[in-house]
Amino acid sequence: MDSKQDLLGLSPQLWWADGWPQNAVQGSITSGFEALDQELPARGWPCGALSELLSNQTGIGELRLLVPVMRQLTSQQKTVMLMNPPMLPYGPTLASHGIDLKHLILLRAKHVPDRLWAVEQCLRSNSLGCILAWLPQSDLRPEVLRRLQLSAQQFEGPIFVFRPSMAQGQVSAAPLRVLLLPRPRQRLALRILKRRGPLHGDYLEIDLPQPCLRR
Protein backbone atom coordinates (compact mmCIF):
# COMPACT_ATOMS: atom_id res chain seq x y z
CA MET A 1 0.00 0.00 0.00
CA ASP A 2 2.32 2.70 -1.28
CA SER A 3 0.06 5.20 -2.98
CA LYS A 4 -2.18 7.99 -1.81
CA GLN A 5 -5.18 6.27 -3.37
CA ASP A 6 -4.51 3.09 -1.43
CA LEU A 7 -4.25 4.97 1.85
CA LEU A 8 -7.32 7.10 1.20
CA GLY A 9 -9.23 3.91 0.46
CA LEU A 10 -8.93 2.90 4.10
CA SER A 11 -11.48 5.44 5.31
CA PRO A 12 -13.34 8.43 3.85
CA GLN A 13 -12.19 10.39 6.91
CA LEU A 14 -8.51 10.21 5.89
CA TRP A 15 -6.89 12.99 3.88
CA TRP A 16 -3.43 14.32 3.11
CA ALA A 17 -2.35 17.37 5.08
CA ASP A 18 -1.84 19.38 1.91
CA GLY A 19 -5.18 18.46 0.36
CA TRP A 20 -8.90 18.14 0.95
CA PRO A 21 -10.81 15.01 1.98
CA GLN A 22 -11.91 13.11 -1.10
CA ASN A 23 -15.22 12.05 0.41
CA ALA A 24 -17.16 14.21 2.81
CA VAL A 25 -18.57 12.10 5.65
CA GLN A 26 -21.20 14.65 6.64
CA GLY A 27 -23.08 17.28 4.72
CA SER A 28 -22.70 21.01 5.03
CA ILE A 29 -24.71 24.20 4.96
CA THR A 30 -23.52 27.30 3.19
CA SER A 31 -22.13 30.02 5.44
CA GLY A 32 -23.69 32.68 3.25
CA PHE A 33 -20.23 34.09 2.49
CA GLU A 34 -18.71 32.83 -0.75
CA ALA A 35 -15.12 33.57 0.28
CA LEU A 36 -15.58 31.64 3.54
CA ASP A 37 -17.27 28.69 1.84
CA GLN A 38 -14.23 28.37 -0.40
CA GLU A 39 -12.05 27.83 2.68
CA LEU A 40 -14.29 25.26 4.38
CA PRO A 41 -13.71 21.57 3.53
CA ALA A 42 -17.27 20.79 2.42
CA ARG A 43 -17.82 24.31 1.01
CA GLY A 44 -19.90 25.29 4.03
CA TRP A 45 -20.29 24.85 7.77
CA PRO A 46 -20.07 21.11 8.53
CA CYS A 47 -23.14 19.23 9.72
CA GLY A 48 -22.77 16.43 12.23
CA ALA A 49 -19.59 17.96 13.65
CA LEU A 50 -18.56 20.70 16.07
CA SER A 51 -17.50 24.08 14.73
CA GLU A 52 -15.61 25.96 17.46
CA LEU A 53 -15.70 29.75 17.21
CA LEU A 54 -13.12 31.55 19.37
CA SER A 55 -13.01 35.25 20.23
CA ASN A 56 -11.47 37.47 22.89
CA GLN A 57 -14.72 39.34 23.51
CA THR A 58 -18.43 39.08 22.85
CA GLY A 59 -20.55 41.31 20.67
CA ILE A 60 -18.05 41.57 17.82
CA GLY A 61 -20.45 40.11 15.26
CA GLU A 62 -20.21 36.42 16.12
CA LEU A 63 -23.98 36.03 16.04
CA ARG A 64 -24.36 38.00 12.82
CA LEU A 65 -21.80 35.67 11.28
CA LEU A 66 -24.38 32.92 11.63
CA VAL A 67 -27.38 34.98 10.48
CA PRO A 68 -27.42 33.32 7.01
CA VAL A 69 -27.52 29.87 8.63
CA MET A 70 -30.29 30.80 11.06
CA ARG A 71 -32.28 32.54 8.31
CA GLN A 72 -32.04 29.54 6.01
CA LEU A 73 -32.96 26.96 8.64
CA THR A 74 -35.84 28.87 10.24
CA SER A 75 -37.28 29.56 6.77
CA GLN A 76 -37.36 25.77 6.39
CA GLN A 77 -39.23 25.58 9.72
CA LYS A 78 -36.26 23.99 11.44
CA THR A 79 -35.63 25.01 15.04
CA VAL A 80 -32.44 26.82 16.04
CA MET A 81 -31.44 26.68 19.71
CA LEU A 82 -29.28 29.30 21.43
CA MET A 83 -27.73 27.98 24.65
CA ASN A 84 -26.63 30.64 27.15
CA PRO A 85 -25.75 33.58 24.88
CA PRO A 86 -23.86 36.16 26.98
CA MET A 87 -26.26 38.90 25.87
CA LEU A 88 -29.98 38.53 25.33
CA PRO A 89 -30.60 38.57 21.55
CA TYR A 90 -33.00 41.32 20.50
CA GLY A 91 -35.94 39.72 18.74
CA PRO A 92 -36.84 42.60 16.36
CA THR A 93 -33.23 42.78 15.16
CA LEU A 94 -33.14 39.05 14.45
CA ALA A 95 -36.46 39.35 12.62
CA SER A 96 -35.08 42.23 10.55
CA HIS A 97 -32.42 39.81 9.31
CA GLY A 98 -35.11 37.48 8.02
CA ILE A 99 -34.96 34.99 10.93
CA ASP A 100 -38.31 33.42 11.80
CA LEU A 101 -38.59 33.85 15.58
CA LYS A 102 -41.22 31.09 15.78
CA HIS A 103 -38.42 28.60 15.18
CA LEU A 104 -35.91 30.07 17.61
CA ILE A 105 -35.39 28.72 21.14
CA LEU A 106 -33.38 30.43 23.89
CA LEU A 107 -32.24 28.10 26.66
CA ARG A 108 -30.35 29.15 29.77
CA ALA A 109 -28.53 27.03 32.34
CA LYS A 110 -26.52 28.60 35.13
CA HIS A 111 -24.00 25.80 35.58
CA VAL A 112 -21.72 24.57 32.79
CA PRO A 113 -22.40 20.85 33.47
CA ASP A 114 -26.11 21.56 32.96
CA ARG A 115 -25.38 23.30 29.67
CA LEU A 116 -23.25 20.40 28.47
CA TRP A 117 -25.92 17.89 29.46
CA ALA A 118 -28.63 19.85 27.66
CA VAL A 119 -26.56 20.22 24.48
CA GLU A 120 -25.66 16.54 24.49
CA GLN A 121 -29.31 15.51 24.88
CA CYS A 122 -30.33 17.79 22.01
CA LEU A 123 -27.61 16.33 19.81
CA ARG A 124 -28.72 12.79 20.55
CA SER A 125 -32.38 13.57 19.95
CA ASN A 126 -31.55 15.10 16.54
CA SER A 127 -34.76 17.14 16.77
CA LEU A 128 -33.27 20.58 16.03
CA GLY A 129 -31.94 22.21 12.92
CA CYS A 130 -28.95 23.90 14.54
CA ILE A 131 -27.37 24.48 17.96
CA LEU A 132 -25.41 27.52 19.12
CA ALA A 133 -23.83 27.00 22.54
CA TRP A 134 -21.72 29.45 24.54
CA LEU A 135 -19.16 27.76 26.79
CA PRO A 136 -17.15 30.67 28.22
CA GLN A 137 -14.88 28.58 30.46
CA SER A 138 -11.48 28.12 28.86
CA ASP A 139 -10.51 25.19 31.05
CA LEU A 140 -12.85 22.56 29.64
CA ARG A 141 -11.20 19.17 29.69
CA PRO A 142 -10.44 17.71 26.24
CA GLU A 143 -12.71 14.74 26.93
CA VAL A 144 -15.69 17.08 27.31
CA LEU A 145 -15.41 18.34 23.74
CA ARG A 146 -14.57 14.83 22.57
CA ARG A 147 -17.82 13.58 24.02
CA LEU A 148 -19.76 16.42 22.40
CA GLN A 149 -18.11 15.66 19.07
CA LEU A 150 -19.13 12.00 19.32
CA SER A 151 -22.71 13.04 20.08
CA ALA A 152 -22.59 15.57 17.23
CA GLN A 153 -22.07 12.76 14.74
CA GLN A 154 -25.68 11.73 15.39
CA PHE A 155 -26.91 15.23 14.59
CA GLU A 156 -27.91 16.23 11.06
CA GLY A 157 -27.36 19.96 11.40
CA PRO A 158 -24.45 22.29 12.24
CA ILE A 159 -23.30 22.76 15.84
CA PHE A 160 -21.45 25.91 16.89
CA VAL A 161 -19.58 26.18 20.18
CA PHE A 162 -18.38 29.64 21.27
CA ARG A 163 -15.31 29.79 23.52
CA PRO A 164 -12.69 32.39 24.56
CA SER A 165 -9.72 32.92 22.25
CA MET A 166 -7.37 31.85 25.05
CA ALA A 167 -8.58 28.30 24.45
CA GLN A 168 -7.00 28.16 21.00
CA GLY A 169 -3.83 26.59 22.42
CA GLN A 170 -5.79 23.77 24.04
CA VAL A 171 -6.55 20.39 22.53
CA SER A 172 -9.99 20.24 20.95
CA ALA A 173 -11.87 17.43 19.22
CA ALA A 174 -13.76 19.95 17.06
CA PRO A 175 -12.87 19.29 13.39
CA LEU A 176 -13.24 23.01 12.64
CA ARG A 177 -11.84 25.82 14.81
CA VAL A 178 -12.09 29.46 13.74
CA LEU A 179 -10.66 32.53 15.47
CA LEU A 180 -12.83 35.66 15.20
CA LEU A 181 -11.43 39.18 15.42
CA PRO A 182 -13.32 42.49 15.27
CA ARG A 183 -12.78 44.87 12.38
CA PRO A 184 -14.15 48.38 11.75
CA ARG A 185 -16.98 49.24 9.39
CA GLN A 186 -19.20 46.25 10.15
CA ARG A 187 -16.60 43.68 9.22
CA LEU A 188 -15.22 40.57 10.89
CA ALA A 189 -11.88 38.83 10.45
CA LEU A 190 -11.62 35.05 10.57
CA ARG A 191 -8.61 32.81 10.81
CA ILE A 192 -9.15 29.07 10.40
CA LEU A 193 -7.01 27.41 13.05
CA LYS A 194 -8.05 23.86 12.27
CA ARG A 195 -9.91 22.20 9.43
CA ARG A 196 -9.99 18.94 7.52
CA GLY A 197 -7.70 20.19 4.82
CA PRO A 198 -4.50 22.18 4.23
CA LEU A 199 -3.32 24.75 6.73
CA HIS A 200 -4.87 28.20 6.48
CA GLY A 201 -2.54 30.92 7.71
CA ASP A 202 -4.18 34.07 6.35
CA TYR A 203 -6.98 36.16 7.81
CA LEU A 204 -10.23 36.33 5.88
CA GLU A 205 -12.34 39.49 6.22
CA ILE A 206 -16.06 39.47 5.56
CA ASP A 207 -18.81 42.08 5.59
CA LEU A 208 -21.34 41.26 8.27
CA PRO A 209 -24.99 40.89 7.17
CA GLN A 210 -27.21 43.93 7.26
CA PRO A 211 -30.93 43.88 8.10
CA CYS A 212 -33.22 42.93 5.25
CA LEU A 213 -35.00 45.88 3.70
CA ARG A 214 -38.76 45.74 4.20
CA ARG A 215 -41.24 47.49 1.99
Side-chain angles (χ1 to χ4, degrees), residues 95-208:
S96 72
H97 282 281
I99 297 171
D100 190 340
L101 301 183
K102 297 193 300 292
H103 300 287
L104 202 64
I105 293 178
L106 178 63
L107 187 61
R108 289 192 177 278
K110 181 177 180 180
H111 303 292
V112 174
D114 295 333
R115 299 183 209 175
L116 295 171
W117 180 87
V119 171
E120 188 172 349
Q121 298 308 307
C122 290
L123 290 173
R124 290 182 174 180
S125 70
N126 194 27
S127 58
L128 301 172
C130 177
I131 296 175
L132 284 66
W134 279 261
L135 301 175
Q137 281 68 14
S138 59
D139 57 350
L140 288 178
R141 299 188 306 275
E143 55 265 29
V144 172
L145 289 178
R146 189 178 307 118
R147 180 165 176 163
L148 284 181
Q149 170 59 20
L150 288 174
S151 298
Q153 295 175 11
Q154 307 174 46
F155 192 71
E156 295 181 1
I159 310 99
F160 300 96
V161 175
F162 298 87
R163 298 183 69 201
S165 58
M166 66 181 68
Q168 62 183 293
Q170 300 175 2
V171 175
S172 172
L176 179 64
R177 306 185 80 195
V178 182
L179 178 65
L180 310 179
L181 295 171
R183 289 291 185 266
R185 297 186 294 276
Q186 305 293 311
R187 292 173 65 82
L188 187 68
L190 300 87
R191 182 184 179 189
I192 300 176
L193 304 175
K194 178 184 177 183
R195 63 180 176 179
R196 287 173 172 165
L199 293 176
H200 182 266
D202 297 329
Y203 284 92
L204 173 68
E205 290 199 14
I206 61 171
D207 293 308
L208 291 168

Side-chain angles (χ1 to χ4, degrees), residues 28-98:
S28 65
I29 180 171
T30 178
S31 69
F33 307 95
E34 183 177 354
L36 177 57
D37 283 346
Q38 292 298 318
E39 300 297 337
L40 297 174
R43 297 300 183 262
W45 297 115
C47 297
L50 295 181
S51 293
E52 194 175 356
L53 304 180
L54 308 166
S55 62
N56 58 3
Q57 62 188 96
T58 59
I60 62 172
E62 66 275 15
L63 191 58
R64 287 168 64 188
L65 171 66
L66 301 181
V67 157
V69 172
M70 293 190 288
R71 182 169 54 228
Q72 177 179 337
L73 291 175
T74 58
S75 69
Q76 298 170 355
Q77 300 185 343
K78 295 181 179 180
T79 301
V80 174
M81 184 185 79
L82 281 65
M83 166 62 77
N84 265 78
M87 295 178 286
L88 183 65
Y90 187 54
T93 299
L94 294 177
S96 72
H97 282 281

Side-chain angles (χ1 to χ4, degrees), residues 8 170 174 184 210:
L8 290 173
Q170 300 175 2
Q210 300 300 313

